Amino acid sequence: MEKQKADAMAWVLKETPEGCEVRELASPLRLPYLIVKLSGDRQGEVWDNPLSSARNEIRLLYLLGGPSTEAIQGELEVVSLDDNPGYEALSYCWGSQDNGKTITINSQPVYVTRNLHNALMKLRLPQNKRVLWIDALCINQNDTTEKELQVSLMSQIYGKTNCGLLWLGEEPEQPVSSVNEELEEEIVDIWKESDDLLKDIAPILQGYQERLPSELKDALYGDPKAPQHNEIMIGKTTEIDWRKVHSQYMTTLMQDSSLVEDGIFHAFCLLRLLEDHHHLNEIPYLTMDSDSQRTYISAGRHALAWILKLPWFDRIWTVQECILPKSCIIMYGPVKAAWTMFLRATENFKTHRSSCCADVPGVNTMLQPLIETLGHMSEFTQARLLGSDIPLDSLLRSFRARDATDPRDKVYGLLPLVTEWYDHDPIFPDYNISTTPTQTYTRAVLKMIEISGSLDILSQPGHYLRKASPTLPTWVPDYSQRITRVGTEIFGQNASLYDACDGRSASVRAISEKFLVLEGRRIGHIREAAARMVSLHDTRRNDIYLDWYDFADARNHDVEIRTWKRHFWRTLCGDCIAEKPIKSFGAGHAITATFRRVDEDDESKFHEWCRFYGLEKACTAVTAEVSTNLEVPQDSRTESIGLVDEAIRISTLGRRFFISEEMHMGLAPSHTAISYSHPDEIFVIPGARSPFVLRPVGERYVTGDGIAQAYEVVGECYLHGFMDGEGMADFQKEKRVIYLV
């Protein structure tokens, strides 16, 4: 990283025009270098007009019109947001610092990255001025006070804009692989890690080959195989404004021979078909048939995945920049589309996947990049439209997969979206060099506990992969660690339906921002645990479900079979089930399903799910009682499968099935351990809506409290029979002080 920074700075110095100065910026606002032309007294800078915080002043860029052959020119003007000025706000990523361009602002040269220059070239009108707000040009990056003021105004700047312009970037000059370098490296790394692991365990399992699944046997003892993928190239695309394309012309366009190899075009076709609420089996791009000749079908899928891997979708700052504006336009090279097309396509896909189209082959892994990238975007956009409260903890949980150059921006970059601090002082960005990411994350967690009286913020995945600092407590999520949507769904979708703490609020104190001291009641420990659920692939996950079933069966011989089977299926779905979506996103477009607790009538839905996935032996009733009811319409059976599958998918991914010391069934984080000298323990804690798995790590000295037993947070869990306050019955008598480190 340091070498890359030095190389970039060397290039900037080389390309700096005579009479200009290079300044390195310590800024949250994404532009690391700036070139400004100085007058003799060093006062003739571009941003010579100070901004008034009392009047909520900002600068606007008047981008001068001109032909594409002329250099970019613009003028800055100070305005007050209180006067509701008209402007468009640009959202973009700076891109590479190599080969930047110099433009003219207020008659002075200003260096910008090539990506911003490309955006300005696309945005410039032939003759008229265009009024824009662009962070790199409208904020004096050399004025720390001004930067902090402008960051605090972000919610107003993007909220009051006429339109958000979401610039994804320019199309490639030469065709590139749809599997970008980052994804290629991920594939190779995963393959290498898997290969190393297989080499380690192969000798151990040598004597058990006949009892191993064929897939595992081939992987362990067959010929080594490198990862393979069909290479689809991404090149120039057709200039289309998708806001003006009527759905009636879609079929004609899709079959246009001149567009067969235009993957970007077909990616937008796929989104448009999803936006129009087509069933998944009616969309040719979603067929699971062999597509070895790389037709437009696979080109559309690959190109969509490639688009969603563009840097714009990766950055934390772009989240607020597309949610806050009243309307947004996506811009990619010569292509334009309404941002709502992306959002509606995502929500409609989720709706069909969990209801009427649940039986479409491959539906659980189909378009996963779309769900991971845009799923939470659509939910928070809808929340703003409905005027719902948006607290910080839900934002932090939802956008863990986003990245930031400054790790502290994983918190600060989301503050403009927070709509409710519940009469508490809000968090303000603190870019003081002495403020570390560990301090930023710790203080944010303590603030959220203070505001909510809840420990929900501790219910986050990834405690076992921590990168921010070795001193980061386990009760503080490492927000610098990027975790995808599918790794966080359980913590936002159905956690609110539980009440393991019997409605009691959290009462905690922090010591030196290291120890979190609270009270809890121990209700058991992890006695045995089964395999981890790590895949959404139908075959692999069904093998895990059968393994869990056999695991439970072998340990419940003394329990009436229908009783333990009912406990098993309710554990499998977290005692929750998805409800059919009834709200609307925009004009008549359904949004994601909500969840509710299961009841006895839902057992028949579970039977349908078992039969569909070939898991009949997990049914809770005898075979004769669960034979297919021909009186139930196929559409209803399919919908039942989808509603159950959505709940089971969310409840089990990244989990492992376990049995507690009192023989209760549960789902715990995948890294829950039983091999330690002291097994992981289970506690109910005031403020925690689910029980927590804690790991004893020995005694520690606690300032002011002396020597005390310390625990690390493993994560929250589902423990059947303890999700509605049952464990709090003897709390006062059996509570103990817990020191989390």
Side-chain angles (χ1 to χ4, degrees):
M1 180 62 72
E2 290 301 320
K3 183 178 184 304
Q4 292 175 340
K5 181 178 178 181
D7 291 345
M9 187 60 180
W11 182 91
V12 172
L13 289 170
K14 178 182 175 183
E15 298 297 324
T16 301
E18 185 177 353
C20 297
E21 179 183 272
V22 178
R23 298 182 179 178
E24 185 174 0
L25 306 174
S27 167
L29 294 177
R30 312 183 310 200
L31 190 64
Y33 300 109
L34 189 70
I35 296 177
V36 294
K37 184 175 181 180
L38 303 174
S39 65
D41 61 1
R42 301 178 63 87
Q43 298 300 313
E45 296 192 5
V46 175
W47 305 272
D48 53 359
N49 295 322
L51 301 178
S52 168
S53 59
R55 297 191 68 249
N56 291 326
E57 287 184 341
I58 63 171
R59 294 186 188 87
L60 292 178
L61 171 68
Y62 286 79
L63 181 62
L64 303 183
S68 60
T69 54
E70 289 187 0
I72 293 292
Q73 298 185 62
E75 301 169 347
L76 291 176
E77 179 178 318
V78 175
V79 300
S80 170
L81 286 171
D82 297 339
D83 296 331
N84 296 315
Y87 61 94
E88 298 168 293
L90 180 66
S91 172
Y92 69 103
C93 291
W94 68 84
S96 172
Q97 298 163 28
D98 295 340
N99 304 316
K101 295 285 187 178
T102 299
I103 64 175
T104 301
I105 303 295
N106 289 358
S107 302
Q108 299 189 52
V110 175
Y111 173 84
V112 297
T113 60
R114 177 170 289 273
N115 189 45
L116 177 53
H117 186 267
N118 289 339
L120 292 170
M121 293 292 288
K122 278 289 189 297
L123 292 170
R124 180 171 57 181
L125 302 175
Q127 295 180 337
N128 299 326
K129 295 180 180 180
R130 190 165 190 172
V131 187
L132 302 167
W133 187 89
I134 303 173
D135 56 6
L137 300 177
C138 296
I139 299 176
N140 184 352
Q141 303 287 346
N142 299 304
D143 187 331
T144 301
T145 301
E146 180 175 307
K147 285 187 296 185
E148 292 182 352
L149 165 67
Q150 295 293 284
V151 169
S152 68
L153 289 176
M154 286 294 181
S155 60
Q156 292 190 60
I157 291 172
Y158 280 96
K160 291 190 172 186
T161 183
N162 296 343
C163 182
L165 305 175
L166 315 182
W167 172 250
L168 303 188
E170 191 57 87
E171 56 188 344
E173 290 294 331
Q174 300 295 329
V176 297
S177 172
S178 60
V179 181
N180 61 27
E181 292 183 6
E182 179 185 355
L183 184 57
E184 184 84 41
E185 291 176 0
E186 289 180 10
I187 294 172
V188 172
D189 288 345
I190 292 172
W191 173 68
K192 287 181 178 178
E193 291 175 6
S194 301
D195 189 51
D196 291 342
L197 176 60
L198 292 173
K199 288 178 181 177
D200 290 339
I201 66 174
I204 301 174
L205 300 178
Q206 188 73 43
Y208 301 90
Q209 289 191 44
E210 298 306 316
R211 297 168 58 184
L212 297 177
S214 58
E215 188 179 83
L216 179 57
K217 190 186 304 182
D218 291 341
L220 287 168
Y221 308 108
D223 295 330
K225 298 178 181 179
Q228 301 290 327
H229 58 267
N230 280 335
E231 188 171 41
I232 303 293
M233 305 303 291
I234 304 296
K236 294 288 186 179
T237 188
T238 307
E239 182 175 356
I240 295 180
D241 188 339
W242 286 90
R243 296 171 298 172
K244 302 177 182 178
V245 176
H246 197 280
S247 59
Q248 292 179 345
Y249 299 107
M250 290 291 295
T251 303
T252 302
L253 286 171
M254 288 163 54
Q255 296 176 350
D256 187 333
S257 60
S258 66
L259 299 173
V260 167
E261 296 185 0
D262 187 344
I264 297 297
F265 164 78
H266 290 292
F268 278 83
C269 280
L270 170 54
L271 290 169
R272 183 57 184 273
L273 290 171
L274 287 170
E275 180 193 24
D276 288 344
H277 245 314
H278 288 275
H279 289 291
L280 304 186
N281 58 6
E282 298 173 350
I283 300 177
Y285 299 104
L286 302 183
T287 178
M288 298 302 291
D289 295 338
S290 174
D291 195 20
S292 59
Q293 295 183 353
R294 303 175 189 171
T295 66
Y296 73 88
I297 294 175
S298 60
R301 293 196 304 266
H302 282 75
L304 179 57
W306 184 84
I307 289 172
L308 296 173
K309 278 288 184 178
L310 290 172
W312 186 90
F313 289 103
D314 187 54
R315 309 303 294 174
I316 194 69
W317 285 101
T318 58
V319 173
Q320 58 159 321
E321 295 166 1
C322 68
I323 292 178
L324 290 172
K326 296 181 286 291
S327 65
C328 290
I329 298 174
I330 279 279
M331 303 174 66
Y332 168 77
V335 179
K336 295 179 182 178
W339 175 235
T340 51
M341 182 174 84
F342 280 67
L343 301 182
R344 289 170 177 166
T346 304
E347 291 301 337
N348 292 342
F349 173 72
K350 290 193 295 180
T351 298
H352 284 269
R353 181 181 70 171
S354 62
S355 55
C356 53
C357 299
D359 57 351
V360 172
V363 72
N364 285 309
T365 51
M366 187 185 292
L367 297 186
Q368 199 57 38
L370 184 70
I371 301 299
E372 292 181 1
T373 305
L374 298 182
H376 290 308
M377 292 279 218
S378 58
E379 291 163 13
F380 283 103
T381 300
Q382 180 73 0
R384 283 188 62 84
L385 290 174
L386 296 174
S388 303
D389 289 347
I390 300 179
L392 179 59
D393 59 341
S394 61
L395 291 165
L396 290 171
R397 178 177 58 246
S398 299
F399 296 107
R400 289 284 296 273
R402 294 293 180 126
D403 203 4
T405 303
D406 185 334
R408 297 172 296 183
D409 284 339
K410 293 295 288 286
V411 175
Y412 299 154
L414 296 172
L415 295 180
L417 289 170
V418 179
T419 61
E420 186 57 71
W421 292 97
Y422 303 101
D423 297 324
H424 289 259
D425 292 334
I427 295 174
F428 292 101
D430 179 4
Y431 288 105
N432 190 301
I433 194 170
S434 64
T435 304
T436 66
T438 293
Q439 291 172 320
T440 300
Y441 300 164
T442 302
R443 292 166 187 174
V445 167
L446 291 174
K447 171 64 72 173
M448 286 179 279
I449 295 175
E450 172 193 337
I451 290 173
S452 66
S454 165
L455 298 180
D456 286 352
I457 191 64
L458 274 61
S459 300
Q460 301 233 13
H463 288 284
Y464 61 105
L465 295 173
R466 313 179 69 78
K467 297 186 293 187
S469 167
T471 62
L472 186 70
T474 62
W475 50 271
V476 178
D478 182 358
Y479 293 113
S480 69
Q481 176 195 348
R482 301 174 63 188
I483 298 178
T484 63
R485 172 189 170 86
V486 294
T488 64
E489 279 184 313
I490 185 173
F491 305 95
Q493 296 279 17
N494 55 13
S496 62
L497 301 177
Y498 305 134
D499 188 21
C501 63
D502 197 28
R504 303 192 188 195
S505 298
S507 177
V508 305
R509 59 187 174 97
I511 299 178
S512 303
E513 295 187 350
K514 179 180 179 181
F515 293 93
L516 188 69
V517 186
L518 41 78
E519 293 181 337
R521 180 195 171 209
R522 184 184 183 279
I523 55 174
H525 67 253
I526 306 294
R527 177 178 176 177
E528 296 180 84
R532 298 171 173 86
M533 176 61 68
V534 295
S535 175
L536 285 171
H537 189 278
D538 287 349
T539 302
R540 293 173 184 171
R541 71 171 195 152
N542 291 349
D543 287 343
I544 297 295
Y545 291 146
L546 287 174
D547 175 81
W548 289 0
Y549 174 85
D550 292 338
F551 179 88
D553 186 15
R555 288 152 182 81
N556 282 278
H557 291 310
D558 297 333
V559 182
E560 198 272 325
I561 185 169
R562 294 184 64 157
T563 298
W564 77 257
K565 278 192 170 188
R566 285 197 175 98
H567 292 174
F568 177 77
W569 91 261
R570 294 180 79 141
T571 298
L572 202 61
C573 64
D575 204 38
C576 295
I577 189 170
E579 291 187 293
K580 185 176 180 179
I582 55 175
K583 298 179 181 178
S584 62
F585 188 99
H589 295 273
I591 67 168
T592 187
T594 56
F595 289 79
R596 61 170 173 81
R597 297 293 289 272
V598 300
D599 55 41
E600 292 183 1
D601 293 338
D602 295 321
E603 198 165 340
S604 62
K605 297 182 177 68
F606 177 69
H607 296 161
E608 296 286 357
W609 179 85
C610 287
R611 283 195 296 273
F612 180 77
Y613 284 107
L615 305 172
E616 288 86 352
K617 70 177 183 179
C619 289
T620 59
V622 296
T623 304
E625 295 178 359
V626 297
S627 59
T628 301
N629 186 349
L630 298 180
E631 295 180 0
V632 179
Q634 179 60 42
D635 287 349
S636 296
R637 292 202 297 270
T638 301
E639 184 174 279
S640 295
I641 295 167
L643 298 178
V644 172
D645 193 66
E646 185 78 357
I648 291 178
R649 180 181 63 83
I650 288 175
S651 295
T652 60
L653 185 62
R655 301 268 150 173
R656 62 189 308 187
F657 184 84
F658 73 88
I659 299 291
S660 74
E661 64 178 305
E662 299 295 334
M663 299 305 292
H664 296 288
M665 300 181 191
L667 296 171
S670 61
H671 55 291
T672 298
I674 56 173
S675 58
Y676 287 76
S677 56
H678 299 287
D680 289 346
E681 302 178 11
I682 309 170
F683 285 82
V684 287
I685 304 170
R689 291 188 283 193
S690 297
F692 264 81
V693 178
L694 304 180
R695 180 167 298 160
V697 291
E699 294 182 336
R700 303 285 175 86
Y701 176 75
V702 183
T703 303
D705 288 18
I707 301 297
Q709 170 67 52
Y711 290 87
E712 291 182 346
V713 174
V714 177
E716 52 84 81
C717 71
Y718 175 89
L719 184 63
H720 191 69
F722 287 86
M723 303 306 292
D724 298 296
E726 296 89 344
M728 301 295 289
D730 296 319
F731 182 79
Q732 290 301 323
K733 182 171 63 176
E734 299 182 10
K735 67 181 180 181
R736 65 176 70 175
V737 178
I738 302 171
Y739 294 85
L740 300 181
V741 295

